[in-house]
Amino acid sequence: MLTQIVRTQVTVGPPLGAQIIRARHQRTTRKLTYLLLYLAACLAASPAAADPISPTPSFFFAGNLDFTVTGGTLRTESNSGNSCAVTNSSSSTLNGVPPGATVTAAYLYWAGSGSTTDTVVRFQSSVVSASRSFSETFNFGTLSFDFFSGFADVTGLVSGNGTYTFSDLTVTNTDQGTTSPYCSRSAVLSGWGM
C-alpha cells in the first residue's frame, strides 16, 4: 500500500521545472483517500457498475497544471475500538495551491458501506448531488458486503487553500444479520476525497 500522497507539477510547454512535494497528512486520512480512490476506480471498472464507463477520458486539460488532494474519514474509531462508530461531518485542509493560481477543476469523491447508494451529500454547507454513482457487492464465502461511491464536480465551491467540510453521508454501520456483519468484520466505510 502506498504510504504517502505525492503531488507532482506537470509541465506542458516551456519547462518550469518539475518538483515533487510530499503532502503531510495524518496516516488515517492518507489511507482513506487511497482507499476511496481505489474503491471508486474498482467500482467504475466493474462490469456490474450502475453506470458504464466510456473508453474516452471524461476530462481533458492542457497547459501548466498541478494537483493536490485532501479528504477525510467519518469513522471516529479504529477497528480495535468501535468499528461501527461514524460521525456526520469531516473537515480537512487543502494545501499546495500556489498564490495567484486558478483552480481549474475540483472533484469530490465519497464512498460508504451499504446497499443504498447515498447520492446527495453536503460540501461546504452546499447540497451536492452525484453526477455519477457506483455500487458493488463483494462476496466472501457466505458473507456479502455492499459498497457504493459517488462523484461530483465541485469546482465552484473550491477557491484554493483552506479547510473544506464534507457531511451528511449515510452509510450502513450496523451488522445486517449474519450474512452482512459490517461491524463485527470491521467493514464499515464512510469517507471522502477531493
Side-chain angles (χ1 to χ4, degrees):
M1 172 177 248
L2 296 173
T3 58
Q4 58 190 347
I5 295 175
V6 176
R7 186 172 70 89
T8 305
Q9 182 176 9
V10 178
T11 305
V12 177
L16 296 175
Q19 52 179 270
I20 298 174
I21 301 172
R22 291 189 179 114
R24 289 174 173 79
H25 291 282
Q26 293 179 350
R27 188 173 188 190
T28 303
T29 302
R30 189 169 45 239
K31 286 183 178 181
L32 177 65
T33 301
Y34 283 122
L35 177 63
L36 286 171
L37 295 176
Y38 176 74
L39 181 61
C42 287
L43 293 176
S46 170
D51 186 12
I53 301 300
S54 167
T56 58
S58 296
F59 315 105
F60 179 79
F61 303 103
N64 294 326
L65 304 171
D66 200 355
F67 71 94
T68 186
V69 298
T70 192
T73 180
L74 280 78
R75 285 201 34 191
T76 58
E77 295 189 34
S78 69
N79 288 341
S80 60
N82 179 358
S83 63
C84 286
V86 295
T87 187
N88 186 50
S89 179
S90 168
S91 295
S92 186
T93 302
L94 178 68
N95 292 310
V97 178
T102 301
V103 175
T104 303
Y107 302 113
L108 180 66
Y109 297 85
W110 62 91
S113 49
S115 59
T116 303
T117 302
D118 188 352
T119 59
V120 179
V121 296
R122 285 192 176 272
F123 182 72
Q124 293 299 91
S125 300
S126 295
V127 173
V128 174
S129 297
S131 58
R132 298 184 86 166
S133 62
F134 310 94
S135 61
E136 187 65 66
T137 299
F138 295 92
N139 296 305
F140 302 97
T142 60
L143 301 180
S144 175
F145 298 95
D146 293 307
F147 296 95
F148 64 87
S149 64
F151 163 84
D153 184 331
V154 292
T155 306
L157 300 173
V158 178
S159 58
N161 294 325
T163 300
Y164 291 89
T165 302
F166 174 88
S167 62
D168 294 353
L169 177 62
T170 302
V171 302
T172 299
N173 63 328
T174 59
D175 283 343
Q176 303 293 296
T178 58
T179 58
S180 297
Y182 288 96
C183 292
S184 56
R185 295 298 176 128
S186 301
V188 174
L189 174 64
S190 184
W192 65 284
M194 176 187 69

